[in-house]
Amino acid sequence: MADFGDDPRAALDRLLTERGVDYAQLSARIGRNPAYIQQYIKRGSPRRLAEEDRARIAAYLGVPEAMLGGPVQRVAAPARPGGSAMVLVPKLAIGASAGAGRTIDGEPVEGAVAFDPKWLRELGADARALSIIRVEGDSMAPTLNDGDDILVDGGDAATRLRDGIYVLRMDDALMVKRVARAPGPGRISVISDNAQYRSWDDLPMNAVQLVGRVVWTGRRVR
């Protein structure tokens, strides 16, 4: 897992390996020539990612921009006398479909929400790898409803897979689904909690890219 103190190139290289994304694929995602990301990681050219590229890559991979060399998004002053600083978690300008799925183009961060770091630790969440994404659709109802905001731990993905709710990519669409290990090595089930929607009972792990585990949800009172 990438650390904010890591070299951004090494961090990006590890993230791509974990997600099963190659250099040319990511280059195409941000509208660059096929060799762009490889040259950035392997040759150091460009020296830094442009802000727009960094934002699009962070949104595509579901990680904070700080992992890629952007500013660490934390409030500088303590939230209360003697207390620790709040952690600002970026809110991505994308939705994870809980319906049929949709393709994304890597929209940037649209804001941030402050969380108590102690509370995040109690959740078992890695504050360095969190992002907030809006749920779209009702295929995960009643667990998750259309419009819910979900807190996604990008450090808790394929390398730590266990049964739970994940944001994932499948067939180039970003989705939120329940994931469970299926019988047989390297097999998983991708499940919609709403029985009216499709589930996949037995898939190879490489059929999906796990973005991160959903560790909390917030919803509006209607």
Side-chain angles (χ1 to χ4, degrees):
M1 182 185 61
D3 185 286
F4 286 178
D6 285 351
D7 174 77
R9 290 180 180 81
L12 178 57
D13 203 18
R14 280 197 296 275
L15 285 167
L16 294 179
T17 299
E18 290 171 2
R19 308 292 164 79
V21 179
D22 63 36
Y23 300 146
Q25 181 181 355
L26 183 60
S27 296
R29 276 285 172 182
I30 62 173
R32 296 285 190 169
N33 70 73
Y36 180 79
I37 293 298
Q38 182 176 11
Q39 290 174 345
Y40 167 70
I41 290 175
K42 300 298 185 183
R43 299 183 184 179
S45 177
R47 292 181 62 189
R48 296 182 181 87
L49 291 170
E51 288 188 13
E52 181 179 353
D53 289 340
R54 188 179 66 218
R56 289 169 68 84
I57 292 169
Y60 177 64
L61 296 176
V63 299
E65 286 190 56
M67 276 192 174
L68 307 176
V72 177
Q73 300 188 34
R74 295 175 186 267
V75 175
R80 53 188 181 276
S84 57
M86 301 291 278
V87 174
L88 287 181
V89 176
K91 186 173 184 180
L92 304 185
I94 57 177
S97 176
R102 72 179 181 91
T103 301
I104 63 168
D105 293 320
E107 291 88 340
V109 171
E110 67 176 7
V113 179
F115 289 88
D116 185 330
K118 181 176 182 294
W119 183 79
L120 292 176
R121 287 193 298 271
E122 290 172 351
L123 278 182
D126 184 348
R128 302 167 300 177
L130 293 173
S131 57
I132 296 171
I133 298 176
R134 178 66 53 84
V135 173
E136 295 181 349
D138 62 352
S139 78
M140 286 299 291
T143 310
L144 298 174
N145 295 319
D146 182 49
D148 287 352
D149 286 326
I150 52 177
L151 187 63
V152 181
D153 186 352
D156 196 351
T159 56
R160 297 173 57 190
L161 177 64
R162 58 194 188 277
D163 292 359
I165 299 175
Y166 285 81
V167 173
L168 57 89
R169 286 189 183 85
M170 186 164 57
D171 296 330
D172 220 18
L174 192 71
M175 305 181 185
V176 55
K177 298 291 181 186
R178 188 175 300 278
V179 174
R181 291 186 179 276
R187 312 292 294 186
I188 60 171
S189 297
V190 177
I191 302 163
S192 298
D193 282 4
N194 186 338
Q196 296 182 13
Y197 288 80
R198 180 183 179 184
S199 294
W200 295 262
D201 293 330
D202 186 20
L203 291 174
M205 271 292 301
N206 61 12
V208 304
Q209 296 174 17
L210 297 178
V211 173
R213 183 181 173 89
V214 178
V215 295
W216 179 84
T217 182
R219 63 182 48 164
R220 298 171 182 166
V221 177
R222 293 179 173 85

